Amino acid sequence: MKNNNTIKPQDILILLKICTLGEQDWFQHDLSEALGISQSEISECLSRSKYSGLIDANRKKVNVLSLLEFIQYGIKYVFPQQPGAIVRGVATAHSAPPLDQEIISDQNYVWPYARGNMRGQAIQPLYRTIPKAVLNDKKLHEVLALVDAIRVGKVREQHLAISLLKERLQYAE
């Protein structure tokens, strides 16, 4: 029997997008359009997230503390990633704001994307549509880059990313 309640990587993307909207009203079709994910997958994500306690019973308000706890303690184990080949793409982890101002490195990390503006080691995004979705969404780009710093960064980068992520998401509680 297949378990349909297991969190998927796109669920984290969708929940973070909702968090970046703050108090702004949203609809599933808005999320679908902004993230390049079908409305049926958005609906399935919200159901899985409700089951796991990451969103409220009305499927509208993210349980930010639970999401942060999962990202801080579990994401690097559930959705691990190792830097890969040098490719063109969109900056992530310590190579993207806000960490690019805090951490100096000669190694860039990018999500592979032909229209990206940086070359660096490939980091596979949590979901395939992320590189395109963040091009016009600075807030979403920042929180996803911080999540990647937790997935692939060293201890110092992880602690800094967690701290910055908490700052960016706390207002949504």
Side-chain angles (χ1 to χ4, degrees):
M1 183 179 230
K2 186 177 178 184
N3 180 359
N4 292 327
N5 295 315
T6 303
I7 290 292
K8 295 183 178 183
Q10 61 266 36
D11 299 350
I12 304 305
L13 167 61
I14 294 165
L15 292 170
L16 287 171
K17 175 61 177 176
I18 293 169
C19 287
T20 65
L21 295 173
E23 297 298 318
Q24 179 182 335
D25 287 338
W26 57 269
F27 299 96
Q28 288 185 22
H29 70 278
D30 298 327
L31 297 178
S32 174
E33 188 176 302
L35 300 174
I37 298 174
S38 71
Q39 285 191 48
S40 63
E41 185 58 36
I42 300 282
S43 181
E44 290 173 17
C45 157
L46 296 174
S47 293
R48 289 187 298 266
S49 298
K50 176 184 167 193
Y51 183 82
S52 66
L54 294 175
I55 200 163
D56 71 354
N58 295 327
R59 301 177 358 156
K60 282 292 189 181
K61 185 170 173 28
V62 174
N63 183 343
V64 177
L65 292 178
S66 296
L67 179 60
L68 284 168
E69 181 180 30
F70 175 73
I71 291 170
Q72 181 173 359
Y73 298 109
I75 202 151
K76 66 183 177 182
Y77 301 110
V78 178
F79 306 118
Q81 186 54 218
Q82 296 288 327
I86 303 293
V87 297
R88 173 171 300 285
V90 177
T92 189
H94 66 268
S95 303
L99 287 177
D100 64 344
Q101 300 300 312
E102 304 285 334
I103 297 172
I104 307 300
S105 175
D106 56 355
Q107 291 292 323
N108 290 325
Y109 289 167
V110 299
W111 294 308
Y113 189 60
R115 295 188 179 142
N117 60 0
M118 181 182 282
R119 289 186 58 75
Q121 287 186 277
I123 302 295
Q124 290 306 310
L126 283 171
Y127 193 70
R128 61 183 167 74
T129 63
I130 285 176
K132 185 176 180 183
V134 301
L135 289 180
N136 296 314
D137 191 334
K138 180 183 173 191
K139 286 182 183 179
L140 184 62
H141 190 177
E142 286 186 0
V143 296
L144 288 167
L146 291 169
V147 169
D148 272 357
I150 296 165
R151 290 172 66 210
V152 300
K154 295 177 176 60
V155 173
R156 177 176 172 260
E157 294 163 349
Q158 290 174 356
H159 286 298
L160 187 55
I162 289 163
S163 175
L164 292 170
L165 193 57
K166 286 179 178 179
E167 286 176 16
R168 279 159 175 73
L169 299 183
Q170 287 303 323
Y171 71 87
E173 289 184 276

